[in-house]
Amino acid sequence: MKEFHKICLTTLAAVLSWTGAEACTNFIVTKGASTDGSVMVTYAADSHQLYGCLYHTPGGRFRPGSMLRVEEWDTGRYLGDIAQVPSTFSTVGNMNEHSLIIAETTFGGRSELADSTGGIDYGSLIYITLQRARTAREAIRTIAELANAYGYVSGGESFSIADPNEAWIMELIGKGCKLDADGTNTRRGIVWVARRIPDGYVSGHANQARITTFPKNDPENCLYAPDVVSFAREMGYYDGPEEEFSFADAYAPADFGALRGCEARVWAFFRTVAEGMDRYEDYAMGYNPKNRMPLWVKPAQQVAPKQLFDCMRDHYEGTKMDMTKDLGAGGHACPYRWRPMYFEVDGTEYCNERATATQQTGFWFVAQARPQLPDDMGILWFGVDDAATSCLTPIYCSTTEVPACFREDDGSMLDWSPTSAFWLFNRVTNFAYMRYDAISADIRRVVDAWENGCLEEIKRQDAALTDKAKARRKKLTAYSVRKAGELFDRWQTLDRYLLLKYVDGNVKSEHGTVLEYLDNPSPAHFVDNGTGKQIPDRIQFPGYNEAWKRAVAADNGEVLKVVETK
């Protein structure tokens, strides 16, 4: 998160500040690019303040004149009331009952374009639109209508918008403040552009605007605000030919941080699924902004759901930015660097990497809209905390009940709860950060077994479900709730196992694997000394990795050196 300062002076001459979840990641896979024909969108809601839980709003019918209260998603600040529509759809997380998916990443953009008088923020745009739109195109229109009608209070946003047939990127930013004599903002609204990702391709965005030039006469594949170019000219952001206008360059010019901390995450995804992406390494590292990466790429092979799950767990492994390799990873290859992102030594500024997987994730998901099935059988694969050491569980988009462990009213960032999945996963993951190389490997064995098992189970369930809509949704809800409860119970057992095995920096020897322990927790799983007193035997002391030992020797070797006593 970082401060995005509004410069619009109100009648009180106050300068307001906005705090947004400016640290998220979206990857998008079209149906022709996926192994199972689904449209997939990923999202990591990364914030140091966001509590990881699953939102649910039931559909409803409303009387004429009904109003809807709008509160800023990040802060809870009341923004005002807007007109309610006659009927709304049921939503769970960032998906509605018709398999419409909306996710976002914040790029901020030009600070002078924030509107402190706005009545709707980016988070409310997502969740209100999910209640009102059935398709991606309807969602794009709804977002633009809401922002233009009530004023947009947030900074620049990239939205992933998908339904069972199409996937789009929509980028938007406000118009700032220009008050008339009555104090009304005459610039209310947004400028925006949306591009449909060609079928068979993948795309992504991560806190940097990515749409550059775009066709002006192809409404099947590109939609945009009528003043998107003229407003840039009015503000002095662009003075070139119409056909060369670039949304990203006009409204969110990229600097080193935007490339290294944002575009690099998209590059890491692209290089995992597509060929030839190393040619853009200098762009991703912030060294060559002219070597711009494309908005979408064609994968070498169709992308499987599990592969996409794992792309959200990336730390630049296998690249020059690999976060497990340098001295900052400590003696146990921990791929995390605590904030701030930048530091200075002897007048030279350096950066810590910002990978796709990060410690401050509130929740994350991989959503699947599946055109071969009824719309209410879309799946929100949902998880909380750091994607690299947490697990996804299937939540059907038409579920009418939130699993107990994901409820909004169970705990908060200031209130630990023993029944909250967010706090359970955080406890396990923060323990893993201490000895990451060993502990994370055990966690990943559990993650892979769970997710692969669920994927196979879903296939069987899809084939067996022949009920009509009402009965089907009841079964889908029951399944979603049951699987989340099973995952919570399994993670509680994993929590105990990891403490038993790795307490005090030691490693207990085992007779089996972590998966065998989870299936049958017992002291007999660990090696004892044979006395019947449950005293461990063959305890291992793995120490630190070679790079760390050499660094310590170089730093303090003269003090630590062992010498022969004469």
Side-chain angles (χ1 to χ4, degrees):
M1 308 257 256
K2 84 177 186 181
E3 291 298 310
F4 181 93
H5 297 289
K6 298 181 173 72
I7 64 167
C8 174
L9 297 180
T10 67
T11 53
L12 298 176
V15 179
L16 304 177
S17 64
W18 166 78
T19 303
E22 194 169 309
C24 305
T25 305
N26 286 187
F27 302 145
I28 309 167
V29 178
T30 58
K31 62 181 181 179
S34 66
T35 56
D36 62 357
S38 65
V39 178
M40 296 186 284
V41 175
T42 77
Y43 181 43
D46 301 329
S47 164
H48 298 274
Q49 299 165 258
L50 180 65
Y51 185 64
C53 55
L54 183 61
Y55 315 133
H56 169 57
T57 304
R61 295 185 179 278
F62 303 91
R63 293 192 179 100
S66 296
M67 302 297 287
L68 175 66
R69 180 182 175 91
V70 178
E71 295 179 352
E72 192 170 37
W73 183 52
D74 288 313
T75 67
R77 180 170 63 98
Y78 171 64
L79 296 178
D81 296 296
I82 68 173
Q84 182 58 283
V85 293
S87 63
T88 60
F89 302 126
S90 171
T91 72
V92 61
N94 288 56
M95 202 169 187
N96 75 12
E97 61 183 290
H98 298 292
S99 286
L100 175 66
I101 307 161
I102 307 178
E104 61 78 32
T105 72
T106 301
F107 63 78
R110 295 185 182 273
S111 59
E112 66 268 24
L113 297 183
D115 175 11
S116 60
T117 70
I120 197 163
D121 66 298
Y122 77 98
S124 299
L125 279 178
I126 291 174
Y127 298 111
I128 294 172
T129 298
L130 284 170
Q131 295 173 47
R132 299 183 176 194
R134 185 185 293 262
T135 68
R137 290 173 187 267
E138 287 181 15
I140 292 167
R141 183 172 65 249
T142 300
I143 287 171
E145 288 174 352
L146 286 169
N148 287 328
Y150 298 103
Y152 179 63
V153 74
S154 301
E157 285 286 328
S158 298
F159 288 107
S160 299
I161 306 175
D163 60 31
N165 296 301
E166 298 183 331
W168 292 71
I169 293 179
M170 179 183 189
E171 295 190 329
L172 60 87
I173 195 166
K175 295 181 180 180
C177 286
K178 187 176 181 181
L179 305 181
D180 62 15
D182 298 326
T184 301
N185 182 13
T186 59
R187 283 187 183 155
R188 171 170 287 184
I190 56 173
V191 285
W192 59 276
V193 60
R195 299 203 65 182
R196 187 171 73 91
I197 303 165
D199 195 31
Y201 285 73
V202 303
S203 188
H205 50 91
N207 306 124
Q208 171 55 33
R210 304 203 65 242
I211 298 177
T212 55
T213 58
F214 53 93
K216 310 298 192 302
N217 56 355
D218 185 10
E220 185 65 22
N221 298 295
C222 184
L223 304 169
Y224 55 92
D227 60 345
V228 66
V229 179
S230 61
F231 182 74
R233 293 188 190 281
E234 176 188 336
M235 297 297 292
Y237 304 149
Y238 185 70
D239 61 2
E242 182 97 358
E243 64 274 10
E244 295 179 11
F245 175 77
S246 163
F247 182 92
D249 292 328
Y251 293 112
D255 56 12
F256 173 85
L259 301 180
R260 186 66 168 260
C262 304
E263 288 284 80
R265 283 176 270 157
V266 179
W267 173 74
F269 169 55
F270 282 0
R271 75 181 296 273
T272 299
V273 301
E275 296 176 347
M277 293 307 299
D278 284 346
R279 76 184 73 165
Y280 299 107
E281 181 185 80
D282 59 352
Y283 174 79
M285 295 186 73
Y287 302 152
N288 186 7
K290 293 183 179 180
N291 187 27
R292 192 188 296 269
M293 191 166 55
L295 180 58
W296 46 64
V297 298
K298 191 173 184 63
Q301 296 177 327
Q302 290 176 318
V303 180
K306 175 57 175 166
Q307 183 183 12
L308 191 59
F309 297 177
D310 292 339
C311 284
M312 293 297 289
R313 298 179 164 116
D314 185 83
H315 304 111
Y316 299 122
E317 286 88 351
T319 75
K320 291 179 180 178
M321 296 181 281
D322 191 331
M323 297 174 71
T324 67
K325 298 299 185 183
D326 66 28
L327 188 60
H332 296 287
C334 183
Y336 296 104
R337 308 294 183 267
W338 316 132
R339 299 301 186 263
M341 291 293 296
Y342 294 88
F343 61 97
E344 186 176 307
V345 177
D346 297 333
T348 299
E349 189 176 29
Y350 300 88
C351 69
N352 287 314
E353 307 296 356
R354 188 343 189 159
T356 301
T358 187
Q359 69 273 15
Q360 76 272 13
T361 300
F363 64 83
W364 67 293
F365 65 74
V366 177
Q368 282 188 285
R370 306 190 293 168
Q372 69 276 27
L373 294 166
D375 288 349
D376 61 7
M377 291 183 69
I379 299 178
L380 184 80
W381 294 88
F382 186 78
V384 289
D385 194 35
D386 179 354
T389 43
S390 64
C391 202
L392 294 172
T393 192
I395 306 290
Y396 280 93
C397 68
S398 56
T399 186
T400 57
E401 181 182 346
V402 172
C405 62
F406 293 139
R407 285 177 48 169
E408 289 184 70
D409 60 357
D410 186 13
S412 72
M413 287 299 284
L414 302 178
D415 182 23
W416 179 84
S417 168
T419 54
S420 160
F422 178 79
W423 283 119
L424 174 60
F425 276 86
N426 265 279
R427 188 168 61 199
V428 170
T429 295
N430 275 267
F431 185 58
Y433 294 154
M434 298 172 60
R435 299 183 65 95
Y436 195 83
D437 47 0
I439 298 177
S440 69
D442 274 338
I443 294 173
R444 279 300 300 272
R445 292 184 186 99
V446 180
V447 166
D448 291 343
W450 172 268
E451 290 176 350
N452 286 326
C454 287
L455 284 162
E456 289 302 314
E457 197 171 83
I458 290 291
K459 290 179 184 178
R460 295 192 296 270
Q461 177 157 280
D462 289 346
L465 273 177
T466 58
D467 307 81
K468 292 185 177 180
K470 187 174 181 180
R472 181 173 63 239
R473 292 185 180 194
K474 187 175 181 180
K475 288 184 178 180
L476 297 178
T477 297
Y479 177 82
S480 301
V481 170
R482 176 171 62 81
K483 293 305 292 185
E486 289 176 5
L487 177 61
F488 184 84
D489 292 343
R490 197 159 181 79
W491 230 253
Q492 284 188 311
T493 307
L494 176 63
D495 182 29
R496 295 190 290 269
Y497 164 86
L498 293 174
L499 183 59
L500 279 167
K501 182 177 177 179
Y502 292 104
V503 66
D504 295 334
N506 305 325
V507 182
K508 290 185 177 70
S509 295
E510 302 170 90
H511 292 299
T513 67
V514 57
L515 296 175
E516 290 170 328
Y517 181 89
L518 297 191
D519 290 336
N520 184 28
S522 168
H525 175 85
F526 297 100
V527 175
D528 67 19
N529 67 1
T531 64
K533 304 293 186 181
Q534 294 189 3
I535 299 173
D537 196 16
R538 289 170 29 203
I539 295 177
Q540 304 164 50
F541 308 104
Y544 300 89
N545 60 36
E546 183 67 18
W548 184 253
K549 287 186 287 188
R550 289 184 176 277
V552 172
D555 177 62
N556 200 32
E558 289 304 310
V559 173
L560 301 177
K561 184 185 296 182
V562 176
V563 299
E564 182 179 353
T565 302
K566 297 182 180 180

